[in-house]
Amino acid sequence: MEQKEIVHIISDSVGETAEFVVKAVAAQFNGGYIEIRRHPHVEEVEDIDPVIEAAKRQNAIIAYTLVVTSLKDYLDRRADEEGVIAVDLMNPLMEAFMKKFHKEPYHRPKLMRKLDEEYFKKIEAIEFAVKYDDGRDATGLKKADIVLLGVSRTSKTPLSMYLAHHSFKVANVPIVPEIDPPEELFTIPREKCVGLMIAPEKLNEIRKERIRAMGLKSDVNYASYDRIYEELAYAEKIMRKIRCPIIDVSNKAVEETASLIIEMFKNREELLK
C-alpha cells in the first residue's frame, strides 16, 4: 500500500478553512493518500515547536492560517531553520485586500467563528419569531427576549421579524376582549414586554383596507369604531396591569418602532452592567 503523505494544519481557530483548502489541493494529487493532522487553537509559540519537529521527522508539509503576526513570523522563521515547508494560506489574499482596499487587517483570531455564531443566532431568532407568532404557543413567552402585545393590525408580526433580524427572540400576543391573555404574560418580567397602541382613526383606515384586500363586506364589525374603541380600551387595561412601556405606532414605520425598541433594550442592558 502506498504510504500517505502528511500535511499538518496549524490554526488559531478550529482549522476548518485550512483543511478545506488542503483537501481541494490534495484532490489534484490523488488526495486519498494525504493524511491531515489538525492543530487547532494555537495561541502561543510553544504550541508551534512540536508541530515543526513532527513535520521535520515525517518529511511533511505545514499549512497554516495564523493571523497573529508574532505567531506567523515565529512559524515562518522556525520552519525555515528546520527546512520544513510551511505555507501561509491566508497571506496572499490578505495582501491583495490591503492593496486593493487600502485597509489594515485586524490580526485577531476566530473572527470567522464569531461571524458564524452571529449568523446562526439570527437564524435561530427568525425561527423563534415564526414559531411564537400571534400567541400560538404561550410557552415561548418565557423564552423570548422581547414580548410584543397589541390589538390586531399594530404590526406585531413584521416587528417581530425585523427584530429577529437583529438577533432578538420575539414572541407576540394579540389582545382580544373575548380571549383572556395567557397567564404567562403576567408571570414574565415586565421589562421584556412592549405594548403597541395606535390611534383609532389610523386603525380604522388600516382595517378597512385589510377588509377590501380580503374581499369582505365593508360593514363588518372588525373595522367599526365601536369595536376599535373596545379593543383599544381593553388592550390598554392589560398593558397597564402588566406595567410595560407602550409605544404609539400610529404614524411610525416598522423600522422606526423597531429602532425605539432596540434602543430601549440596549439602555436596559447598559444599566445592568
Side-chain angles (χ1 to χ4, degrees), residues 100-132:
K100 177 65 177 177
F101 303 123
H102 307 291
K103 291 183 179 180
E104 289 294 317
Y106 293 120
H107 294 296
R108 293 205 304 266
K110 303 177 183 178
L111 289 183
M112 188 64 189
R113 176 63 56 182
K114 182 179 179 182
L115 288 174
D116 285 345
E117 288 172 357
E118 289 175 355
Y119 171 77
F120 287 115
K121 185 179 179 182
K122 182 185 295 185
I123 295 299
E124 185 180 0
I126 292 170
E127 291 175 346
F128 187 94
V130 171
K131 183 176 181 180
Y132 298 109

Side-chain angles (χ1 to χ4, degrees), residues 57-244:
R57 188 171 61 252
Q58 298 156 349
N59 193 29
I61 292 174
I62 295 175
Y64 69 88
T65 52
L66 296 173
V67 296
V68 177
T69 304
S70 59
L71 294 178
K72 168 184 156 35
D73 290 346
Y74 182 82
L75 174 54
D76 286 340
R77 178 173 61 80
R78 289 290 293 117
D80 185 61
E81 290 171 355
E82 298 296 333
V84 172
I85 296 175
V87 182
D88 185 342
L89 298 179
M90 295 182 68
N91 195 58
L93 189 56
M94 194 92 78
E95 288 186 347
F97 270 55
M98 292 165 62
K99 183 177 180 180
K100 177 65 177 177
F101 303 123
H102 307 291
K103 291 183 179 180
E104 289 294 317
Y106 293 120
H107 294 296
R108 293 205 304 266
K110 303 177 183 178
L111 289 183
M112 188 64 189
R113 176 63 56 182
K114 182 179 179 182
L115 288 174
D116 285 345
E117 288 172 357
E118 289 175 355
Y119 171 77
F120 287 115
K121 185 179 179 182
K122 182 185 295 185
I123 295 299
E124 185 180 0
I126 292 170
E127 291 175 346
F128 187 94
V130 171
K131 183 176 181 180
Y132 298 109
D133 181 44
D134 206 31
R136 66 182 62 173
D137 185 351
T139 62
L141 302 185
K142 292 183 178 180
K143 306 172 190 174
D145 299 317
I146 301 171
V147 176
L148 304 177
L149 51 149
V151 301
S152 174
R153 315 315 295 175
T154 48
S155 300
K156 295 186 299 300
T157 296
L159 262 174
S160 296
M161 295 307 299
Y162 190 95
L163 291 166
H165 277 85
H166 286 76
S167 301
F168 288 98
K169 291 182 178 177
V170 185
N172 70 76
V173 179
I175 303 299
V176 183
E178 293 79 14
I179 303 174
D180 291 333
E183 285 298 321
E184 290 85 350
L185 192 59
F186 302 100
T187 61
I188 61 175
R190 64 185 180 86
E191 293 80 11
K192 293 207 309 185
C193 300
V194 178
L196 306 175
M197 290 296 285
I198 188 170
E201 298 78 15
K202 184 68 176 179
L203 186 55
N204 172 259
E205 177 186 326
I206 293 171
R207 288 189 174 183
K208 283 198 297 187
E209 183 57 40
R210 176 65 173 165
I211 288 169
R212 279 195 291 269
M214 295 176 68
L216 301 175
K217 294 181 179 180
S218 59
D219 60 349
V220 296
N221 192 40
Y222 179 66
S224 73
Y225 273 106
D226 286 344
R227 176 62 182 180
I228 287 171
Y229 287 133
E230 180 188 8
E231 287 188 31
L232 291 177
Y234 180 69
E236 185 173 10
K237 177 183 175 183
I238 297 297
M239 293 171 196
R240 297 297 181 194
K241 182 177 179 181
I242 296 171
R243 294 186 298 125
C244 65

